[in-house]
Amino acid sequence: MYKTSANVGFFYNQTQIEMDNTTLIIVAGVVGLLIGFLVAKMMEKGKATKTMSNAKKEAADIVREAKKEGESIKKDKIFQAKEKFLELKAEHEKVIINKDKKIAEAEKRTRDKESQVSNELAKNKKLNEQLNVQIKDVNHKSEVLEKKQTEVEKLHKSQVQQLEVISGLSADEAKSQLLESLKETAKTDAMAYLQNTLEETKLTAQQEARKIIINTIQRIGTEEAIENCVSVFNLESDDVKGRIIGREGRNIRALESATGVEIIVDDTPEAIILSCFDSVRREVARLSLHRLVTDGRIHPARIEEIVKKTEKQINEEIAEIGKRTVIDLGIHGLHPELIKAVGRMKYRSSYGQNLLQHSREVAKLCGIMAAELGLNPKLAKRAGLLHDIGKVPNSETEVETPHAILGMQWAQKYGEKKEVCNAIGAHHDEVEMTTLISPIVQVCDAISGARPGARRQVLDSYIQRLKDLEDIAFGFNGVQKAYAIQAGRELRVIVESEKVSDDKAAELSFEISQKIQTDMTYPGQVKVTVIRETRSVNVAK
């Protein structure tokens, strides 16, 4: 038991010693860490102190450098300011010198003007004195003239009284006789002078006008084409006529009803006549018949179908013709409705002349003539093309309006210029001409319509126009015979030599031309020639 206690004590002591050693080691470690921490702190503090001292030194160096640079900049700025001041001072001195110079010049001009004004005042004073002297002289002469005028009037009255006693006429009667004789003489002289002046003016104007018109016409190639109111549809054989007529005529009635064209089937071999004043309807009927005959199926339902298709095709063709026409003539910006109207003119005629061909011709003539006269050829060409669009109305109500007025209304509606509208409306004198293009369109329309072969002329109206010309001549005193020649473009008048003198013949020619111009409507000009002759006839036996 003692041994056991001793062992226990030994192990206790041994354990106590080990614990004491561990405690010492721990304490020694803690002390070492503290000492190391303190040493590190001291070293860090030393480094910080050294860094602070270096930073302060560098800061001091930077401050010194900054002060040096500031001083340098300050000196530069002061130097620049001085230079700027000197420059501004020099400029200011220059301005002051210029102003002084201008002031001196202005003072010199003022002194010169003052001197000039003084001279003018002296001259005016001298002139005023001379004027006063002249006024006194004029007043004196006026008094003398009044006295002489009074004496002259007294002498005139006495002479008039003596003349009245000698002649047996009063002064008023003698004056009226003298005035009548002077009137006749003055009228004859005036008519002769007027006739000579008109002849000279007409000669010059006609030469220039003929030159322009001939040059214009020579540059236009035209075709002489006459259109009728009927079209002939050729058939391969007469057997087709029966199919076209149909049972009890139902096919031909359906075709006439759908197209509005009169279809004449007679004994003419292998031909059918289509009669209608509307060329569009005739063309629709012709194309429809061609399709029906080619297809072989001819009955009312098929006829209506073909006619509708043909009308659509014709409308498309009309628009295409209008587009090609304006492109060929170089006209741009035309409204689509006006383009369609231009296309429809292909299927219209005026006195047998194709309306589209006539309008194209007028457009080209207008363009050339406007260029010759120094006007706008494009505008003139536009007016020439559109001048007859009123002849292709869209509805029956528009037919009653004159075609020139209707065309002008369309042009205004679709935004054409005032010059074009006036030219369209005035080419038959329905409205007053306000632009230079209007007479050009009128002249070119007359040129295109009056050329030989362009249009049909009704014989009765032609003969009536010639008779009217001769009747106007017979309405004047002294006219013995009158002949309208050259298709009504010249009127030759033969007068009685006993009743009409040479001077009266010139007056009669002028009066007849004015009467024709006032009372008649005619294309171009009418030349009036008055012939007066005296014949002495003797017979030798």
Side-chain angles (χ1 to χ4, degrees):
M1 183 177 181
Y2 175 73
K3 188 178 182 179
T4 305
S5 298
N7 289 333
V8 171
F10 176 78
F11 283 116
Y12 175 79
N13 289 330
Q14 187 70 29
T15 304
Q16 187 68 37
I17 292 169
E18 289 178 358
M19 290 177 62
D20 291 338
N21 290 334
T22 303
T23 302
L24 288 174
I25 292 170
I26 293 171
V27 170
V30 170
V31 171
L33 287 173
L34 289 173
I35 293 170
F37 177 75
L38 292 174
V39 170
K41 281 288 184 181
M42 290 176 66
M43 291 177 66
E44 185 180 353
K45 185 176 181 182
K47 289 181 181 179
T49 303
K50 187 176 180 181
T51 303
M52 288 291 292
S53 63
N54 292 334
K56 288 179 180 179
K57 186 177 181 181
E58 290 177 359
D61 293 338
I62 291 170
V63 170
R64 283 196 300 271
E65 292 294 329
K67 286 181 179 180
K68 288 180 182 180
E69 290 180 2
E71 291 295 331
S72 176
I73 293 170
K74 180 179 178 182
K75 289 179 181 180
D76 291 339
K77 293 296 181 182
I78 292 171
F79 181 73
Q80 291 176 2
K82 287 181 179 180
E83 287 183 348
K84 188 67 176 178
F85 174 74
L86 293 174
E87 290 177 0
L88 292 174
K89 183 178 179 183
E91 291 177 359
H92 182 65
E93 289 176 353
K94 287 181 181 179
V95 172
I96 291 173
I97 291 170
N98 290 332
K99 286 185 178 179
D100 292 340
K101 187 177 180 181
K102 289 181 180 178
I103 291 170
E105 292 176 354
E107 290 176 352
K108 184 179 178 182
R109 287 197 298 270
T110 304
R111 288 194 297 269
D112 294 339
K113 287 183 180 179
E114 289 177 353
S115 175
Q116 186 178 0
V117 169
S118 301
N119 295 332
E120 292 293 334
L121 288 174
K123 289 181 182 178
N124 289 336
K125 186 176 180 182
K126 186 175 180 180
L127 290 173
N128 193 17
E129 293 175 355
Q130 293 177 358
L131 183 62
N132 290 330
V133 173
Q134 290 178 357
I135 288 172
K136 291 179 181 179
D137 189 16
V138 170
N139 290 333
H140 177 67
K141 290 180 180 180
S142 177
E143 293 175 358
V144 174
L145 286 173
E146 288 178 358
K147 292 179 181 179
K148 289 184 179 181
Q149 184 69 24
T150 305
E151 294 175 0
V152 169
E153 289 178 356
K154 291 180 180 179
L155 291 173
H156 178 69
K157 288 181 180 178
S158 64
Q159 289 177 356
V160 170
Q161 291 174 357
Q162 291 176 4
L163 289 173
E164 288 178 352
V165 172
I166 294 170
S167 63
L169 296 173
S170 64
D172 293 335
E173 292 175 349
K175 187 185 293 184
S176 62
Q177 290 183 2
L178 180 61
L179 285 175
E180 288 297 327
S181 114
L182 288 174
K183 278 183 181 179
E184 291 296 328
T185 305
K187 186 176 180 181
T188 303
D189 294 341
M191 290 303 301
Y193 175 76
L194 180 60
Q195 187 67 25
N196 292 332
T197 305
L198 285 174
E199 289 297 329
E200 292 177 1
T201 306
K202 286 179 180 179
L203 182 61
T204 306
Q206 285 178 357
Q207 288 176 351
E208 292 298 323
R210 285 173 181 169
K211 181 179 178 182
I212 292 174
I213 291 173
I214 290 172
N215 289 337
T216 303
I217 293 174
Q218 286 177 345
R219 294 165 64 182
I220 296 294
T222 59
E223 299 178 0
E224 298 182 5
I226 301 296
E227 292 192 356
N228 299 314
C229 297
V230 297
S231 297
V232 178
F233 180 74
N234 297 315
L235 300 173
E236 294 180 357
S237 64
D238 289 338
D239 297 337
V240 184
K241 289 183 179 180
R243 295 169 58 191
I244 293 174
I245 295 172
R247 184 179 299 175
E248 298 178 356
R250 62 176 186 174
N251 290 345
I252 195 170
R253 285 198 301 272
L255 191 57
E256 288 179 343
S257 176
T259 59
V261 176
E262 183 180 359
I263 301 174
I264 302 173
V265 181
D266 53 13
D267 296 335
T268 305
E270 298 181 356
I272 291 177
I273 297 175
L274 308 177
S275 176
C276 181
F277 288 102
D278 192 333
S279 302
V280 178
R281 292 180 181 177
R282 286 207 317 273
E283 185 66 13
V284 170
R286 189 185 68 81
L287 292 177
S288 299
L289 266 175
H290 177 73
R291 288 185 175 183
L292 288 169
V293 171
T294 304
D295 184 51
R297 294 176 294 170
I298 304 176
H299 53 82
R302 181 64 175 167
I303 289 172
E304 291 181 2
E305 180 184 354
I306 292 295
V307 168
K308 288 181 180 179
K309 289 182 179 180
T310 306
E311 287 177 349
K312 184 178 179 182
Q313 178 187 347
I314 290 294
N315 290 330
E316 293 175 354
E317 185 178 350
I318 285 172
E320 185 63 26
I321 290 170
K323 290 179 183 178
R324 286 202 306 268
T325 301
V326 297
I327 290 172
D328 291 344
L329 294 175
I331 297 173
H332 306 286
L334 206 62
H335 194 277
E337 291 298 326
L338 295 180
I339 293 176
K340 290 180 182 178
V342 171
R344 285 199 301 273
M345 287 195 291
K346 179 183 178 181
Y347 300 101
R348 295 290 189 275
S349 61
S350 178
Y351 296 98
Q353 185 182 25
N354 183 269
L355 193 57
L356 180 59
Q357 179 183 341
H358 166 65
S359 298
R360 288 173 63 99
E361 185 176 333
V362 172
K364 292 178 181 178
L365 288 169
C366 289
I368 296 172
M369 194 172 291
E372 291 287 339
L373 296 174
L375 301 175
N376 188 343
K378 292 185 178 180
L379 206 61
K381 192 181 292 185
R382 194 182 194 97
L385 178 64
L386 299 177
H387 80 283
D388 269 347
I389 57 172
K391 289 185 177 180
V392 285
N394 290 323
S395 61
E396 295 296 332
T397 57
E398 293 178 340
V399 177
E400 300 176 358
T401 307
H403 76 273
I405 301 298
L406 180 60
M408 181 180 69
Q409 292 173 355
W410 282 5
Q412 291 173 346
K413 178 180 178 181
Y414 296 119
E416 289 297 318
K417 293 184 178 180
K418 293 181 179 179
E419 295 89 340
V420 176
C421 297
N422 181 256
I424 295 171
H427 79 277
H428 284 310
D429 295 322
E430 275 87 358
V431 298
E432 183 181 357
M433 295 184 181
T434 58
T435 64
L436 292 175
I437 295 177
S438 300
I440 291 177
V441 173
Q442 188 180 52
V443 168
C444 294
D445 181 39
I447 291 172
S448 176
R451 62 182 175 81
R455 294 183 174 182
R456 292 193 310 268
Q457 289 188 347
V458 181
L459 181 62
D460 294 339
S461 63
Y462 170 73
I463 295 174
Q464 184 64 38
R465 182 160 63 88
L466 298 184
K467 187 175 182 301
D468 292 341
L469 282 173
E470 295 174 354
D471 290 342
I472 287 177
F474 283 120
F476 290 87
N477 293 327
V479 176
Q480 185 177 5
K481 296 179 182 178
Y483 301 101
I485 61 176
Q486 293 187 4
R489 290 181 174 82
E490 183 177 356
L491 178 64
R492 290 189 181 178
V493 181
I494 300 174
V495 297
E496 300 177 11
S497 58
E498 296 83 4
K499 295 182 180 181
V500 181
S501 63
D502 289 338
D503 295 335
K504 184 67 176 176
E507 180 181 349
L508 182 63
S509 174
F510 178 77
E511 291 177 353
I512 292 174
S513 65
Q514 294 299 309
K515 182 73 171 174
I516 293 172
Q517 186 173 342
T518 304
D519 295 350
M520 291 189 64
T521 301
Y522 49 89
Q525 296 179 344
V526 178
K527 181 181 178 182
V528 179
T529 304
V530 176
I531 301 173
R532 177 185 178 272
E533 62 178 358
T534 303
R535 295 185 182 182
S536 299
V537 180
N538 291 302
V539 179
K541 297 182 180 179

